[in-house]
Amino acid sequence: MNAKPVIFVIEDDRAFNKLIMSYLSSKINCEVLSFIAGEDCMDMIAAGKIPDVVIQDYELPFQNGIEIMQQIKNKCPNSEFIFLSGQTNVKVAVNALQIGAFDYIVKDNHAKENAFNKVDQILRLKKLENDKLKYKFSTKSLVVLLVVTWIFLFLYYFLLIK
């Protein structure tokens, strides 16, 4: 995970895009980048900016959200996706979740709060995963140190006796 979380918002409705961006920026110490289309987002990834979380609309002008998610996942497998869409078809939501989205939120009066809650949940899970990896590394390092110390003491003991 980046030092400061990076969130991409891919939404072709400029007013809704700005609403989500502003709300997240005010609630989370993160970098929020806005895109109207998926190809703009891919250009940013090619330039080296990797998103921790992508919030995207399902229905975009040139691609649907599933296609964009698959393209981004190929380049950034650790990025998490939240669909934020006016599409209320349950099959669409289930399909998005089965393909790898973290969640699917229907645009309504609570969409920005729901999006914030999901982003917060994702960032907390990513932090826990990162802490777990650090703990595993620390534990392995400690075991190696103890084994090396034990071998050294064992050899030292037998060298002193002889």
Side-chain angles (χ1 to χ4, degrees):
M1 191 166 85
N2 303 309
K4 188 175 184 180
V6 175
I7 300 170
F8 285 4
V9 177
I10 308 171
E11 169 63 58
D12 60 328
D13 178 334
R14 293 179 190 274
F16 197 74
N17 188 318
K18 186 172 175 121
L19 174 72
I20 296 299
M21 269 189 57
S22 299
Y23 191 78
L24 290 175
S25 296
S26 72
K27 295 283 189 181
I28 304 172
N29 181 21
C30 62
E31 182 178 1
V32 182
L33 300 173
S34 167
F35 305 95
I36 300 303
E39 49 273 356
D40 299 333
C41 170
M42 294 307 295
D43 292 342
M44 184 63 73
I45 290 170
K49 187 63 80 172
I50 306 299
D52 293 296
V53 181
V54 178
I55 299 173
Q56 65 179 36
D57 195 354
Y58 181 82
E59 294 178 350
L60 292 162
F62 302 107
Q63 294 176 293
N64 72 37
I66 298 293
E67 294 167 341
I68 294 168
M69 181 175 73
Q70 289 171 330
Q71 288 177 356
I72 295 172
K73 279 279 193 189
N74 285 337
K75 303 266 185 204
C76 313
N78 294 325
S79 296
E80 293 291 346
F81 289 79
I82 300 169
F83 280 91
L84 187 58
S85 183
Q87 176 64 256
T88 58
N89 184 336
V90 174
K91 289 181 182 177
V92 170
V94 169
N95 184 43
L97 294 170
Q98 286 176 333
I99 292 174
F102 185 84
D103 209 339
Y104 189 99
I105 299 169
V106 175
K107 290 180 185 174
D108 62 12
N109 293 337
H110 304 286
K112 66 182 182 185
E113 293 89 358
N114 292 337
F116 161 72
N117 289 334
K118 291 301 172 182
V119 168
D120 186 54
Q121 184 180 6
I122 289 169
L123 295 178
R124 287 174 190 264
L125 287 170
K126 284 183 173 273
K127 183 177 181 330
L128 284 172
E129 288 172 13
N130 193 28
D131 290 348
K132 181 180 172 183
L133 288 174
K134 286 179 185 177
Y135 175 75
K136 278 185 173 180
F137 178 76
S138 306
T139 304
K140 287 179 182 177
S141 298
L142 182 60
V143 168
V144 168
L145 180 64
L146 289 172
V147 168
V148 168
T149 302
W150 183 82
I151 291 170
F152 176 76
L153 289 172
F154 182 78
L155 290 172
Y156 181 76
Y157 176 78
F158 282 106
L159 289 175
L160 274 177
I161 292 179
K162 293 185 178 194

